[in-house]
Amino acid sequence: MVPRMVLRSPVWLFRWQVACTRGASVPQRTWAGASRTPGPDSTLACTGGLSTSLGTPEVMLTCERYPVRRLPFSVVSEQDLAAFERIVPGRVVTDPAELEAANMDWLRTVRGCSQVLLRPRTAEEVSHILRYCHGRNLAVNPQGGNTGMVGGSVPVFDEIILSTALMNQVIGFHSVSGILVCQAGCILEELSRYVEERDFIMPLDLGAKGSCHIGGNVATNAGGLRFLRYGSLRGTVLGLEVVLADGTVLDCLTSLRKDNTGYDLKQLFIGSEGTLGVITAVSILCPPRPRAVNVAFLGGSGVRLWSGLTGLLLAPSCVCLRPCALAGCPGFPEVLQTFSTCKGMLGEILSAYEFMDAECMQLVGHHLRLTSPVQESPFYVLIETSGSGVAHDAEKLSSFLERVLGCGLVTDGTVATDHSKVKMLWALRERISEALSRDGYVYKYDISLPVERLYDLVTELRTRLGPQAKHVVGYGHLGDGNLHLNVTAEAFSSSLLGALEPYVYEWTAEQRGSISAEHGLGFKKRGVLGYSKPPEALHLMQQLKALLDPKGILNPYKTLPARS
Amino acid sequence: MVPRMVLRSPVWLFRWQVACTRGASVPQRTWAGASRTPGPDSTLACTGGLSTSLGTPEVMLTCERYPVRRLPFSVVSEQDLAAFERIVPGRVVTDPAELEAANMDWLRTVRGCSQVLLRPRTAEEVSHILRYCHGRNLAVNPQGGNTGMVGGSVPVFDEIILSTALMNQVIGFHSVSGILVCQAGCILEELSRYVEERDFIMPLDLGAKGSCHIGGNVATNAGGLRFLRYGSLRGTVLGLEVVLADGTVLDCLTSLRKDNTGYDLKQLFIGSEGTLGVITAVSILCPPRPRAVNVAFLGGSGVRLWSGLTGLLLAPSCVCLRPCALAGCPGFPEVLQTFSTCKGMLGEILSAYEFMDAECMQLVGHHLRLTSPVQESPFYVLIETSGSGVAHDAEKLSSFLERVLGCGLVTDGTVATDHSKVKMLWALRERISEALSRDGYVYKYDISLPVERLYDLVTELRTRLGPQAKHVVGYGHLGDGNLHLNVTAEAFSSSLLGALEPYVYEWTAEQRGSISAEHGLGFKKRGVLGYSKPPEALHLMQQLKALLDPKGILNPYKTLPARS
């Protein structure tokens, strides 16, 4: 899960200070105002490592850590800064402290050395900026909440950071259809609150919701916790406004559920990680908020603890609209059969089906002192429902659990309907990542596989790695065929990495799986795209990039492999 | 609704006979076998109208009826036929009788004069055909079940018809995930049967399901009756295999719910009406079949007739998994409020929300002798639910109806839970089109609008047209914002047409609506694309077409406006 990380700075300083540790071609400066016209020879190129005196531990520059070469883009000059100041007056950020956060990903694994960040408020301003950059051959790194996992949202070198943070206005909401239209920089959690007040919910929910931007969610085709129930953004996003590399504004911001007039251009930009255009506004379909129309049916709100179907407690606590259950399964085939049964019996109210193996449960127990409310099992599944009738949902869940317990698919389980219990069950699943990070160095993979083979890779890796690895664990969104495969060791070792890669990618490719289920490719995984897509597809992707961004100025070094 | 029309011919004749009524450059021939090599000067160009002696009434040739000029493609020669015979031996169709059906749309409004139809069985054969046609500059018209509404699936001139009819194999089905992989020529109804036997349903359902091909459904981004519940094909189609104009096979036929590796190329081909590539196989996610887990709860299967909440009858007839209700509303604002209430209270089980106005009900009554089971009202809504528990669904539906009746949103209604009653209620909605056709000449529009303004156009047109029109009616998928607007008159009149167009398109454009909600553009509506998309979008569409099909051989004269 992505931690909350709010990167909003309330004051936009109109000055820039640059300090480079080596090869510093730029002296430390302070720019007093827009009236000063910098000389033509003054540039802001960052040619080496950028150090900081802000007290944060040093993170190696991406260009030093990875074998990547700067493409022949222009370097930002003082004239450029003056031009930007005319386009977005008072919103040209060059303060190193502010740039530090925007240059680095939240995982602290990649770091660029951009020396300017722009904060447009409108698509028109974005259009002016891109038209200017296109003319000047300046590279641009679009940035939303900077919560990505693959280094896609920060510069690799000195790309201009184009932040959507000030494009944070709701444009409209249709209370009958549930269609929300808003600017790209709106924070997901704020949108959630906005639509929930109007009896709707956002069709996506992420751990990073407190800081991620809806534009970034769309640009990365974010999956998240509601994917199983409400599907992909490719279905729920109804329209987009996008600014192309040359500044053209593409207005496809319709609010229609159905529109078969020509090619669906917005799909090009969903999941393209800012490499084909900058999303400036989004139209999205929100489902109605799950409601408890028949709450009285229960005979009072309550908690139902379920263990071997014998214990039934009713307590007057707060009813949760999303009851969930945790159950133990004797093997992975039973996890799959339980899923099939679950889909059939819970049908439309099923909103999550997550699994974790015994080692995950041991790790959260050992490192976080969380205890499992169900008996020890080789596998655990967490099932969440979300419907319009609490009593109906609870009844369906009970019938389902009776069935799976009766036929031995599940050996033990517990149902939670009140908020605190639900939260407790979810913590067992959501805090696995935290437990892993306390276990040592973690090698992380986010893979999609045919659901039947989802766990085979974990088993095979355990045999392959032997005592080299401390733990090899598998968990994830089984309902979506999404495996989070993690390997821990005392410390980083290149021999262990060599045993993992390309083996993991090759194994995934053999199953026609995806080497990036939901995180995207960004900077870190662009080199392994070929494991999931054939050469013909890569070629067409390169052609699309060349068509939409002929100079390659939009989010360079991302998504597509470097051309040899 | 599209009528059933099965166009499968069991015998593939190895001969061609061509008769042209005027400008016949090709004599009538019989080709005895592949061993005969035709001379280089022999061509099969159809330069004029093609008449038939098969007894069907004459339909005007598209090229005579519409102002369209043939593009400078090559004309099929005897060498070409010999080459095709080598690629798809025994499956080169030149029999005029068979070609007649494939040259004409089922509405009998457009008719091409193609003289050859090819029946490949594999993507490899399609690849060979397209590589050949690309090299020879021969135009190709991909054809599925030929059930389209806008003349997109038949040739305009003499394009080679590339039928997917023999590409009808299921490749695989994953019983846990519900993912179906099949060839493009599989008939939707046969796929439905196949997955229903395995406890799943297809995510789309159409009136034309008896003959439409899944490849054609995807190529036209078909909407249909399950759209409200299961969403767009853009979300449910997981992978495609596509052959590009130059014969390149693009294998993106993955079976993964999540895959964020690079640009989602399959989206380019969904809804592009065969103009960017030929879809040869589809991977699609099927939802679990709605089940009656708690049928005993009802105390027996039954019919519940509901009128003013007083009548409740239980009869031991077959329980329908999709109970539905018909209700009368006093005005369009109440239709909208009922929809909002419905979405909130029925939530996840709502599978259709259709509306029709009083004139529609009068027409089905007058022309088809169907009687409404509810009191006369200005508007009627048909609500269908589809869930995993019959008792739960019926209870939710009752609670909802009590609410809307109590607050005056609905004045009268009836609920049906058995098959025959459900069918009867659906007939009132589904047979409107038939009733209209019996009323005289019909001007038909398929429009998407913001749901709040959905009916305004009907009201305004009644005022605008006055006694020129016999009836102006509105009905459709309100849940999807989709209006079927129909105007009837005693006979066709160009002055009435002039009063309707471009007015209807301009009005739709003012509301940022879509001039084609689900039918696509094909040949007939390509000229009005500009009413729903800005020039920047049209330009990008043209660029995409040029990138993927530089010679423009794939389904020419379709989707995009003619270039001036």
Side-chain angles (χ1 to χ4, degrees):
Chain A
M1 286 293 127
V2 180
R4 279 163 163 267
M5 199 181 61
V6 181
L7 288 174
R8 279 171 291 175
S9 302
V11 182
W12 308 116
L13 301 173
F14 194 68
R15 65 196 171 86
W16 47 271
Q17 290 180 307
V18 178
C20 285
T21 48
R22 67 170 175 80
S25 67
V26 187
Q28 190 156 333
R29 294 158 190 265
T30 300
W31 194 20
S35 59
R36 182 185 157 196
T37 308
D41 57 344
S42 58
T43 64
L44 293 167
C46 179
T47 54
L50 181 83
S51 77
T52 172
S53 56
L54 301 176
T56 49
E58 184 76 3
V59 172
M60 209 171 178
L61 280 178
T62 303
C63 60
E64 289 177 345
R65 187 170 174 182
Y66 293 89
V68 55
R69 285 180 59 188
R70 188 181 181 282
L71 293 169
F73 298 112
S74 301
V75 169
V76 176
S77 69
E78 291 195 20
Q79 290 98 318
D80 296 328
L81 286 180
F84 293 142
E85 181 58 28
R86 286 191 293 275
I87 299 170
V88 284
R91 287 170 281 134
V92 179
V93 181
T94 52
D95 174 56
E98 283 187 54
L99 284 167
E100 183 75 14
N103 264 314
M104 197 157 54
D105 74 329
W106 69 273
L107 292 165
R108 300 178 57 77
T109 55
V110 284
R111 192 173 129 228
C113 52
S114 177
Q115 293 166 33
V116 61
L117 179 150
L118 306 175
R119 302 246 180 195
R121 285 206 181 97
T122 64
E124 203 186 352
E125 288 180 348
V126 174
S127 167
H128 286 313
I129 290 167
L130 290 187
R131 195 178 307 134
Y132 182 87
C133 291
H134 192 254
R136 275 275 295 131
N137 195 31
L138 287 163
V140 176
N141 174 86
Q143 188 175 82
N146 194 9
T147 60
M149 309 286 274
V150 286
S153 57
V154 293
V156 173
F157 292 93
D158 59 336
E159 299 91 274
I160 294 162
I161 301 170
L162 182 66
S163 166
T164 53
L166 296 187
M167 302 177 66
N168 56 3
Q169 302 298 304
V170 169
I171 297 166
F173 183 73
H174 299 91
S175 58
V176 175
S177 59
I179 297 168
L180 172 75
V181 183
C182 64
Q183 283 189 298
C186 290
I187 289 170
L188 180 59
E189 193 168 52
E190 290 174 10
L191 292 176
S192 283
R193 247 195 310 269
Y194 180 91
V195 300
E196 277 171 23
E197 282 165 11
R198 287 153 181 85
D199 246 3
F200 287 82
I201 60 169
M202 292 297 287
L204 78 161
D205 188 20
L206 308 174
K209 65 183 162 203
S211 45
C212 65
H213 295 186
I214 187 72
N217 297 147
V218 175
T220 55
N221 189 29
L225 303 171
R226 291 178 185 160
F227 187 95
L228 182 69
R229 175 66 177 276
Y230 300 109
S232 158
L233 288 174
R234 299 197 174 275
T236 53
V237 171
L238 302 180
L240 290 182
E241 178 189 64
V242 179
V243 182
L244 304 183
D246 65 358
T248 300
V249 179
L250 191 67
D251 180 1
C252 294
L253 197 61
T254 49
S255 300
L256 305 167
R257 286 209 65 177
K258 282 181 177 173
D259 178 22
N260 271 349
T261 54
Y263 310 146
D264 190 3
L265 299 177
K266 69 173 182 284
Q267 298 291 344
L268 278 172
F269 306 98
I270 300 176
S272 68
E273 301 182 303
T275 60
L276 298 180
V278 177
I279 294 170
T280 50
V282 174
S283 165
I284 191 164
L285 182 69
C286 301
R289 191 155 69 102
R291 290 167 69 169
V293 281
N294 288 319
V295 66
F297 189 88
L298 250 184
S301 54
V303 183
R304 179 177 171 186
L305 282 172
W306 176 85
S307 182
L309 281 185
T310 52
L312 181 65
L313 294 171
L314 286 174
S317 62
C318 171
V319 167
C320 177
L321 298 176
R322 302 183 145 215
C324 70
L326 183 76
C329 283
F332 197 71
E334 286 79 12
V335 171
L336 294 178
Q337 278 184 61
T338 304
F339 179 53
S340 291
T341 310
C342 181
K343 285 214 297 182
M345 292 182 73
L346 298 179
E348 65 280 359
I349 63 164
L350 179 64
S351 58
Y353 189 95
E354 301 283 315
F355 90 101
M356 56 196 278
D357 62 17
E359 289 199 36
C360 289
M361 193 63 93
Q362 286 156 18
L363 287 167
V364 293
H366 181 71
H367 293 293
L368 309 174
R369 306 278 163 229
L370 300 179
T371 51
S372 164
V374 300
Q375 289 166 20
E376 211 176 302
S377 305
F379 291 94
Y380 302 87
V381 294
L382 180 66
I383 296 159
E384 190 199 63
T385 64
S386 169
S388 54
V390 163
H392 290 169
D393 296 0
E395 204 181 315
K396 286 192 179 92
L397 201 51
S398 286
S399 301
F400 157 72
L401 290 169
E402 262 180 73
R403 168 85 64 91
V404 290
L405 193 88
C407 62
L409 289 177
V410 154
T411 47
D412 188 23
T414 182
V415 173
T417 54
D418 79 302
H419 280 299
S420 62
K421 178 89 179 163
V422 164
K423 217 169 154 183
M424 204 197 80
L425 291 188
W426 267 107
L428 292 167
R429 159 69 184 82
E430 286 187 316
R431 295 184 67 191
I432 295 170
S433 191
E434 188 184 340
L436 283 163
S437 67
R438 296 197 189 185
D439 199 52
Y441 187 90
V442 193
Y443 301 82
K444 285 180 168 289
Y445 301 93
D446 165 42
I447 290 167
S448 263
L449 289 168
V451 78
E452 293 84 347
R453 299 228 49 195
L454 202 69
Y455 200 71
D456 293 356
L457 181 56
V458 181
T459 317
E460 291 190 22
L461 270 184
R462 280 195 188 126
T463 310
R464 179 180 170 85
L465 302 178
Q468 272 193 286
K470 207 170 157 188
H471 286 105
V472 179
V473 307
Y475 64 98
H477 318 291
L478 186 126
D480 309 331
N482 189 179
L483 171 72
H484 293 305
L485 166 70
N486 286 255
V487 177
T488 62
E490 288 303 342
F492 172 82
S493 120
S494 53
S495 75
L496 182 50
L497 184 66
L500 282 165
E501 295 178 21
Y503 179 80
V504 168
Y505 297 129
E506 285 170 352
W507 197 95
T508 305
E510 269 170 34
Q511 314 304 321
R512 298 192 60 126
S514 169
I515 54 94
S516 187
E518 55 181 8
H519 295 165
L521 298 170
F523 172 74
K524 292 184 195 168
K525 288 195 180 173
R526 66 174 182 146
V528 290
L529 169 56
Y531 286 101
S532 288
K533 293 288 157 67
E536 297 81 10
L538 261 74
H539 178 64
L540 183 50
M541 290 183 202
Q542 298 279 13
Q543 286 181 303
L544 287 169
K545 173 72 177 173
L547 174 69
L548 280 145
D549 180 17
K551 292 185 175 180
I553 63 166
L554 283 180
N555 223 8
Y557 326 106
K558 312 284 170 65
T559 309
L560 301 182
R563 302 189 91 154
S564 52
Chain B
M1 287 295 125
V2 179
R4 278 162 164 270
M5 200 181 62
V6 180
L7 288 174
R8 280 170 291 173
S9 301
V11 181
W12 309 116
L13 300 172
F14 193 67
R15 64 195 173 93
W16 46 273
Q17 288 182 308
V18 179
C20 287
T21 48
R22 66 172 175 81
S25 67
V26 187
Q28 191 158 328
R29 294 160 189 264
T30 300
W31 195 20
S35 58
R36 181 184 160 195
T37 308
D41 58 344
S42 59
T43 63
L44 294 168
C46 178
T47 54
L50 182 81
S51 77
T52 170
S53 56
L54 301 175
T56 49
E58 184 76 3
V59 172
M60 210 171 177
L61 279 179
T62 303
C63 59
E64 289 177 347
R65 187 170 174 182
Y66 292 90
V68 55
R69 286 181 57 189
R70 188 180 182 283
L71 293 169
F73 298 112
S74 303
V75 170
V76 176
S77 68
E78 291 195 21
Q79 288 96 323
D80 296 329
L81 287 181
F84 293 141
E85 180 57 29
R86 285 191 293 275
I87 299 171
V88 283
R91 287 168 282 134
V92 179
V93 180
T94 53
D95 174 56
E98 283 187 54
L99 284 166
E100 184 74 14
N103 263 315
M104 196 158 53
D105 73 329
W106 69 273
L107 292 165
R108 300 178 56 78
T109 55
V110 283
R111 191 175 128 226
C113 52
S114 177
Q115 292 166 33
V116 60
L117 179 149
L118 307 175
R119 303 245 179 195
R121 285 206 182 99
T122 63
E124 203 186 353
E125 288 180 348
V126 174
S127 168
H128 286 314
I129 290 167
L130 290 187
R131 193 178 308 135
Y132 182 86
C133 291
H134 192 255
R136 274 276 295 132
N137 195 33
L138 287 163
V140 176
N141 174 88
Q143 188 175 82
N146 193 9
T147 60
M149 309 285 273
V150 287
S153 56
V154 293
V156 174
F157 292 93
D158 58 336
E159 300 92 273
I160 293 162
I161 302 171
L162 182 67
S163 166
T164 53
L166 296 188
M167 301 176 68
N168 57 2
Q169 300 299 304
V170 169
I171 298 166
F173 183 73
H174 299 91
S175 58
V176 177
S177 60
I179 297 167
L180 172 75
V181 184
C182 64
Q183 282 191 298
C186 290
I187 288 171
L188 180 58
E189 194 168 52
E190 289 174 9
L191 292 177
S192 283
R193 246 194 312 268
Y194 180 90
V195 300
E196 277 171 24
E197 282 165 11
R198 287 152 181 83
D199 245 3
F200 287 83
I201 59 168
M202 290 299 286
L204 79 160
D205 187 21
L206 306 174
K209 64 185 162 200
S211 45
C212 66
H213 295 187
I214 188 71
N217 297 147
V218 174
T220 55
N221 190 28
L225 303 171
R226 292 178 184 159
F227 187 95
L228 182 70
R229 175 66 177 276
Y230 300 109
S232 158
L233 288 175
R234 299 197 174 276
T236 52
V237 171
L238 302 181
L240 290 181
E241 178 189 64
V242 180
V243 182
L244 304 183
D246 65 358
T248 300
V249 179
L250 191 66
D251 179 2
C252 294
L253 195 61
T254 49
S255 300
L256 305 167
R257 286 210 64 178
K258 284 180 175 172
D259 178 22
N260 272 348
T261 53
Y263 310 147
D264 190 3
L265 299 177
K266 69 174 180 283
Q267 298 291 343
L268 278 171
F269 306 98
I270 300 175
S272 67
E273 302 182 301
T275 62
L276 298 180
V278 178
I279 295 171
T280 49
V282 174
S283 164
I284 192 164
L285 183 68
C286 300
R289 192 155 68 105
R291 290 168 70 168
V293 281
N294 288 319
V295 67
F297 190 88
L298 250 184
S301 54
V303 182
R304 181 177 167 187
L305 283 173
W306 176 87
S307 183
L309 281 185
T310 53
L312 181 65
L313 295 169
L314 287 173
S317 62
C318 171
V319 167
C320 177
L321 299 175
R322 305 183 142 214
C324 70
L326 183 76
C329 284
F332 197 71
E334 286 79 11
V335 172
L336 294 178
Q337 279 183 60
T338 304
F339 179 52
S340 291
T341 311
C342 181
K343 285 214 296 183
M345 292 182 72
L346 297 180
E348 66 279 0
I349 63 165
L350 179 64
S351 58
Y353 189 95
E354 301 283 315
F355 89 102
M356 56 195 278
D357 61 18
E359 289 198 38
C360 289
M361 191 64 92
Q362 286 155 19
L363 286 167
V364 293
H366 180 71
H367 293 292
L368 308 174
R369 305 281 163 226
L370 299 180
T371 50
S372 165
V374 301
Q375 288 166 20
E376 211 176 302
S377 305
F379 291 93
Y380 302 87
V381 295
L382 180 66
I383 296 159
E384 189 199 64
T385 63
S386 170
S388 53
V390 163
H392 290 169
D393 296 359
E395 204 180 316
K396 286 192 179 93
L397 201 51
S398 286
S399 301
F400 156 72
L401 291 168
E402 262 181 72
R403 167 85 65 89
V404 290
L405 192 90
C407 63
L409 289 176
V410 155
T411 47
D412 188 24
T414 183
V415 173
T417 54
D418 80 299
H419 279 299
S420 62
K421 178 89 178 163
V422 163
K423 215 169 156 184
M424 204 197 79
L425 291 189
W426 267 108
L428 291 167
R429 159 67 185 84
E430 286 188 315
R431 295 185 67 191
I432 295 170
S433 190
E434 187 184 342
L436 283 162
S437 67
R438 297 199 189 183
D439 199 51
Y441 187 89
V442 194
Y443 302 82
K444 285 182 166 289
Y445 302 93
D446 164 42
I447 289 166
S448 263
L449 288 168
V451 77
E452 292 85 349
R453 300 227 51 195
L454 201 70
Y455 200 70
D456 293 357
L457 180 56
V458 181
T459 317
E460 291 190 24
L461 270 184
R462 281 195 188 125
T463 311
R464 180 181 170 85
L465 301 178
Q468 272 194 284
K470 205 169 158 189
H471 286 105
V472 179
V473 308
Y475 65 98
H477 319 292
L478 187 126
D480 308 332
N482 188 179
L483 171 72
H484 293 304
L485 167 70
N486 286 256
V487 177
T488 62
E490 289 303 343
F492 172 81
S493 120
S494 54
S495 75
L496 181 51
L497 184 65
L500 282 165
E501 295 179 21
Y503 179 81
V504 168
Y505 297 130
E506 284 169 353
W507 196 97
T508 304
E510 267 169 34
Q511 315 303 322
R512 299 192 59 125
S514 169
I515 54 95
S516 186
E518 54 182 9
H519 295 165
L521 299 170
F523 173 73
K524 291 185 196 167
K525 288 197 181 173
R526 65 174 184 145
V528 290
L529 169 56
Y531 286 101
S532 288
K533 293 287 156 69
E536 297 81 10
L538 261 74
H539 178 64
L540 183 49
M541 289 181 202
Q542 298 279 15
Q543 286 180 304
L544 287 170
K545 172 72 177 173
L547 174 69
L548 280 145
D549 180 18
K551 293 186 175 179
I553 62 165
L554 282 179
N555 223 7
Y557 326 105
K558 312 286 171 63
T559 310
L560 300 182
R563 304 190 91 155
S564 52

